[in-house]
Amino acid sequence: MRKNILLTLLVFPFLLAAEEITSPDGNMLLKFHVDNGVLKYELLYKNRQVVLPSSLGLELINWPSLMEGFRMERVQKSSFDETWQPVWGENKDIRNHYNEMAVTVSQPALKRHIIIRFRVYDEGIGFRYELPRHDNLDNVIIKEEHTEFAMTADHTAYWIPGDYDTDEYEYTISRLSEIRSLEDKARTENASQSAIPAPSTQTSLLMKTDDGLYINIHEAALIDYSAMHLTLDDRRMVLKSILTPDSKGRKGFIRCPYTTPWRTVMVVDDARKMLASNLILNLNEPCKLEDTSWIHPVKYMGVWWEMMTGAATWNYADYQAIRLGETDYTKLKPTGRHAANNDNVRRYIDFAARHGFDQLLVEGWNQGWEDLWQKYHNFSFTQSYPDFDVKALQAYANEKGIKLMMHHETSSSIINYERQLQEAYKFAHDNGYDVIKSGYVGNIFPYGGHHYDQWMNNHYLYCVTEAAKYRLMINAHEAVRPTGLCRTYPNLIGNESARGTEFQAMSGCEPKHVCILPFTRLQGGPMDYTPGILEADISKVNPNNPAHMKATICNQLALYVTMYSPLQMAADVPESYERYADAFQFIKDVAVDWDKSIYLEAEPAAYITVARQAKGSDDWFIGCVAGEQPHHSDITLSFLDKNRRYTATIYSDGKDANCLTNNASYDIRTTTVTSKTRLKLKAVAGGGYAIRITPKN
């Protein structure tokens, strides 16, 4: 690790009107001042206004609020430069280089002060509130955070509607001024929803200005605080923070001294720079785990898709009232469609092992699926169904060189889960599991609240830190969207927290979706998107399901490269992979951990093309996905070693490929390439291409 720190302490009289700080490259300019007692900041990029003067403040319930009556007391400036190595990631080395300004402001009438800390990077800023303890500022109850982001115009926005309980929505592309009229249509049905009054959006919010700037608003290091959403004053084009409330409408309980999460604003003039940014990760604390040797990337399959399509069930018996610990499952009549049975799981184990996968996820293995919702005792996380032998199946998998992956669906019955957590984690560890996929479908039970409130955010992190004690990695679904905490706790190896591939078995995902997610949801951390569905006609898995996926086979292959995650699933059923064995080869070959990543082309909702070098290898992989329109690539391979020749295996959309009517049209060809090679390739709408590049001997 390399560090270079320059520190300057400046003390100013209270009449100081303004203070400025720039990014290391000088292109980003942050200004801060106090305007008639109100804290305000503004942001410029290459001399262009990005954020107009915007107010800061916290409204409190039990103390006078931190909203007005301020004056500036002192400013501390410093510079920081380090290079750190993640346990897993898109790049072997990550540079963390910023200039910092910590502004101490006081409320003389109340005899208290706070600090606003800004960090300015080449591609954006982060800032947070720091509250020292005072006799009249402690054990604070937050009514609302009033952080503004005043935009300069009616930008184009890529947004999902504001909601305290779900982010599993398609993205809408519109002007900011159109959000109010479009929000009802954008809010599709989900198992748990709590709409924020319109117009509102969730973060990470992406915008594009008419003169070609890309702006992203999000947060980093969300710890012991409620998640931030954004409301919009669509007359002034001012976005304003709105925190997730608990069941009684309170936004947070904090004990001073305290620091809030970082509020982040990215600004770039090239979309590729946003995809390559590590701003969110860098604003998080370094790894807190002393030993990370047990944390590793995973490529896995699952007894999953057949349940998602409705061809099989999670539950062992028909839906009925049960009592955990009392119901004798051996006396219940099986559905005959329970997927997590010994024979079926062995079949999957054989297939996954034969094709080189690391693990096999099995959902529906544990007791409780017959009567699962909104109960104090709705699932057991240590008791399996009669037709699922935990020890025998894990031993069978181990003989084949793979492991089983644990599944914990909580149905958001949090008391039930936390009551069993230690026993469940010990059970998983003792039986050879090292990854747990958890789920939070449904409303928070029993005390209400929301998926993204402070209490639930503390629960998600508690699960991660407790899991580390048992050397377990966590992949949480329906949890709060990531904010870079995987740097601090790298056993948080994945999250869902967005609309994923599972919707392809239902209402579907629009082609633009995977060309937006890396600009938004993935800014905070990797997504367990579960790609690799090669059979678009869902009726071939379940004859009673007429759904059809809106993507070509090559699009699905490319997602393993464009949608970064150290946890990658081959989500389809074995029969589909046998049907398209030559395309399946790319999924078997592609890496899940990387030494270097280079974004070659990018435009939100339109296309993303990225090249990645496999960790500890000379192999490269390229993936390209296209949105609603076809995309023509003309890329160079200048990133390759200039003194070597390589074999490129190219998987591309066929001439008659169509993401709706002919997704299985693809071509595979092999050619010799060098660093001077230019490749001209076409991806159809909803299509893509994938390339494996290996050195010639």
Side-chain angles (χ1 to χ4, degrees):
M1 179 182 290
R2 303 192 308 272
K3 292 185 179 181
N4 178 30
I5 304 173
L6 173 66
L7 181 66
T8 305
L9 180 65
L10 303 175
V11 180
F12 292 86
F14 69 87
L15 293 176
L16 181 66
E19 187 60 34
E20 301 179 351
I21 191 168
T22 64
S23 58
D25 66 3
N27 289 327
M28 201 78 63
L29 172 63
L30 182 285
K31 297 182 179 181
F32 177 85
H33 69 281
V34 179
D35 182 2
N36 292 320
V38 177
L39 309 178
K40 292 195 173 182
Y41 77 100
E42 58 185 300
L43 184 64
L44 293 86
Y45 178 70
K46 294 184 177 179
N47 298 317
R48 296 150 72 179
Q49 196 88 35
V50 175
V51 179
L52 299 174
S54 299
S55 300
L56 302 171
L58 294 169
E59 185 179 1
L60 311 180
I61 291 176
N62 58 333
W63 296 104
S65 292
L66 299 163
M67 295 289 296
E68 57 191 6
F70 285 103
R71 69 181 185 186
M72 198 181 317
E73 295 290 347
R74 60 183 178 271
V75 176
Q76 184 178 7
K77 295 182 179 180
S78 61
S79 295
F80 186 81
D81 192 359
E82 70 170 355
T83 298
W84 58 279
Q85 291 75 38
V87 175
W88 44 260
E90 295 186 77
N91 293 283
K92 180 174 63 175
D93 298 308
I94 295 177
R95 189 181 186 190
N96 185 14
H97 188 199
Y98 59 83
N99 292 332
E100 181 175 280
M101 180 170 70
V103 184
T104 300
V105 294
S106 67
Q107 289 177 306
L110 298 172
K111 297 182 180 180
R112 64 186 187 184
H113 66 276
I114 64 171
I115 298 169
I116 310 297
R117 188 175 303 274
F118 297 92
R119 289 182 180 173
V120 185
Y121 292 81
D122 291 346
E123 73 273 26
I125 65 169
F127 60 91
R128 70 184 183 191
Y129 302 86
E130 300 182 1
L131 281 60
R133 186 185 181 281
H134 300 79
D135 289 340
N136 57 352
L137 189 66
D138 196 10
N139 294 326
V140 171
I141 303 175
I142 297 175
K143 184 176 182 180
E144 190 58 87
E145 178 186 320
H146 295 280
T147 300
E148 291 185 346
F149 306 87
M151 297 295 99
T152 60
D154 189 10
H155 302 324
T156 297
Y158 305 74
W159 57 276
I160 57 176
D163 197 299
Y164 296 135
D165 277 298
T166 185
D167 42 23
E168 294 181 332
Y169 294 118
E170 289 275 8
Y171 280 87
T172 300
I173 305 173
S174 74
R175 293 288 183 173
L176 288 170
S177 61
E178 297 173 312
I179 292 177
R180 183 187 298 272
S181 63
L182 295 173
E183 195 162 345
D184 284 346
K185 182 181 178 181
R187 194 179 304 282
T188 50
E189 190 173 339
N190 199 275
S192 179
Q193 294 175 282
S194 299
I196 302 172
S200 64
T201 75
Q202 300 189 46
T203 69
S204 165
L205 173 65
L206 173 68
M207 291 170 284
K208 185 178 181 181
T209 69
D210 289 343
D211 59 352
L213 290 183
Y214 302 86
I215 303 170
N216 183 298
I217 299 175
H218 194 28
E219 61 182 326
L222 176 56
I223 296 175
D224 194 23
Y225 204 72
S226 293
M228 179 182 74
H229 311 268
L230 300 169
T231 59
L232 172 66
D233 179 341
D234 47 12
R235 292 169 298 178
R236 299 187 300 132
M237 299 305 154
V238 175
L239 294 155
K240 189 175 182 179
S241 62
I242 179 169
L243 302 180
T244 307
D246 66 12
S247 61
K248 295 186 177 181
R250 300 162 300 194
K251 302 297 182 81
F253 294 81
I254 60 177
R255 181 74 182 268
C256 299
Y258 182 84
T259 60
T260 70
W262 298 93
R263 280 60 191 98
T264 64
V265 183
M266 288 189 199
V267 188
V268 296
D269 53 13
D270 183 333
R272 296 175 298 174
K273 295 178 182 178
M274 185 171 290
L275 297 180
S277 171
N278 290 299
L279 185 147
I280 302 293
L281 279 178
N282 280 329
L283 286 168
N284 280 265
E285 293 296 317
C287 179
K288 290 190 174 183
L289 305 180
E290 292 184 8
D291 176 19
T292 61
S293 61
W294 50 274
I295 300 172
H296 57 90
V298 178
K299 191 191 295 186
Y300 71 106
M301 294 188 68
V303 182
W304 178 74
W305 190 239
E306 57 190 285
M307 286 97 85
M308 290 305 309
T309 61
T313 64
W314 284 270
N315 46 296
Y316 171 76
D318 290 332
Y319 289 106
Q320 58 190 282
I322 58 153
R323 287 186 177 274
L324 294 177
E326 297 180 19
T327 299
D328 185 350
Y329 277 90
T330 64
K331 295 181 180 179
L332 298 183
K333 182 181 178 181
T335 64
R337 299 171 55 232
H338 180 229
N341 66 76
N342 292 325
D343 290 342
N344 194 40
V345 173
R346 286 192 181 94
R347 180 175 72 91
Y348 271 88
I349 289 172
D350 290 343
F351 185 88
R354 187 163 64 249
H355 293 283
F357 287 87
D358 303 317
Q359 297 197 15
L360 176 72
L361 166 72
V362 183
E363 297 197 4
W365 68 276
N366 58 317
Q367 295 178 11
W369 289 89
E370 290 74 18
D371 185 19
L372 66 165
W373 303 115
Q374 307 300 278
K375 292 172 57 183
Y376 282 100
H377 302 277
N378 61 337
F379 283 112
S380 170
F381 301 102
T382 57
Q383 299 299 314
S384 63
Y385 281 130
D387 59 349
F388 186 90
D389 189 325
V390 173
K391 293 186 180 298
L393 288 172
Q394 188 69 277
Y396 186 79
N398 293 163
E399 289 175 4
K400 302 284 185 174
I402 67 172
K403 291 184 176 183
L404 296 184
M405 183 183 295
M406 179 62 75
H407 181 237
H408 289 170
E409 175 53 63
T410 70
S411 75
S412 294
S413 184
I414 306 305
I415 297 298
N416 177 60
Y417 191 44
E418 289 198 354
R419 183 189 297 117
Q420 299 184 61
L421 196 67
Q422 300 299 327
E423 185 182 7
Y425 283 177
K426 184 177 187 301
F427 176 84
H429 174 76
D430 290 348
N431 283 281
Y433 295 86
D434 65 5
V435 181
I436 291 178
K437 174 186 175 181
S438 56
Y440 294 89
V441 176
N443 297 324
I444 305 302
F445 180 84
Y447 302 121
H450 300 288
H451 283 74
Y452 310 144
D453 67 21
Q454 181 185 28
W455 185 69
M456 282 303 298
N457 292 336
N458 287 345
H459 164 79
Y460 303 134
L461 185 55
Y462 173 69
C463 291
V464 171
T465 56
E466 290 302 299
K469 298 175 182 178
Y470 295 90
R471 300 169 75 92
L472 295 170
M473 298 177 280
I474 296 296
N475 169 29
H477 284 225
E478 294 88 31
V480 71
R481 74 268 183 176
T483 58
L485 287 175
C486 57
R487 178 189 181 187
T488 311
Y489 302 100
N491 66 315
L492 179 58
I493 197 172
N495 279 107
E496 183 192 38
S497 306
R499 188 183 183 93
T501 300
E502 64 192 44
F503 282 85
Q504 299 286 17
M506 298 175 280
S507 54
C509 296
E510 295 301 320
K512 69 178 185 295
H513 191 60
V514 295
C515 298
I516 297 176
L517 284 172
F519 290 97
T520 54
R521 159 63 185 79
L522 271 71
Q523 287 297 311
M527 179 177 178
D528 184 29
Y529 188 71
T530 62
I533 303 301
L534 302 190
E535 181 49 70
D537 183 357
I538 306 305
S539 69
K540 290 185 179 178
V541 180
N542 176 11
N544 297 316
N545 187 339
H548 195 283
M549 182 177 66
K550 301 175 182 177
T552 68
I553 282 179
C554 288
N555 175 281
Q556 290 291 296
L557 301 183
L559 292 175
Y560 289 93
V561 188
T562 64
M563 295 279 287
Y564 168 68
S565 177
L567 185 75
Q568 290 283 18
M569 183 183 193
D572 214 333
V573 296
E575 292 81 1
S576 297
Y577 293 132
E578 290 171 342
R579 190 175 304 131
Y580 302 108
D582 53 354
F584 181 47
Q585 186 63 46
F586 182 83
I587 298 176
K588 293 161 58 175
D589 291 338
V590 68
V592 290
D593 200 17
W594 309 99
D595 271 343
K596 191 172 185 180
S597 296
I598 303 171
Y599 288 91
L600 304 175
E601 307 173 297
E603 179 62 25
Y607 54 86
I608 295 172
T609 308
V610 60
R612 303 190 194 271
Q613 184 182 13
K615 178 65 67 71
S617 170
D618 293 326
D619 289 0
W620 286 80
F621 294 85
I622 299 176
C624 170
V625 290
E628 309 292 340
Q629 301 296 324
H631 175 63
H632 295 265
S633 289
D634 185 357
I635 58 175
T636 67
L637 305 184
S638 56
F639 50 83
L640 297 177
D641 190 321
K642 293 178 173 56
N643 300 314
R644 305 183 75 172
R645 290 159 54 85
Y646 297 79
T647 298
T649 304
I650 302 171
Y651 303 75
S652 57
D653 291 330
K655 292 181 180 180
D656 57 347
N658 185 292
C659 72
L660 297 177
T661 61
N662 193 15
N663 97 304
S665 174
Y666 58 91
D667 295 318
I668 303 175
R669 63 185 177 93
T670 300
T671 186
T672 298
V673 298
T674 69
S675 62
K676 297 180 180 180
T677 299
R678 298 186 72 92
L679 293 177
K680 296 184 178 182
L681 298 165
K682 177 185 177 181
V684 303
Y689 59 81
I691 307 173
R692 182 189 185 191
I693 301 175
T694 58
K696 286 181 173 289
N697 293 330

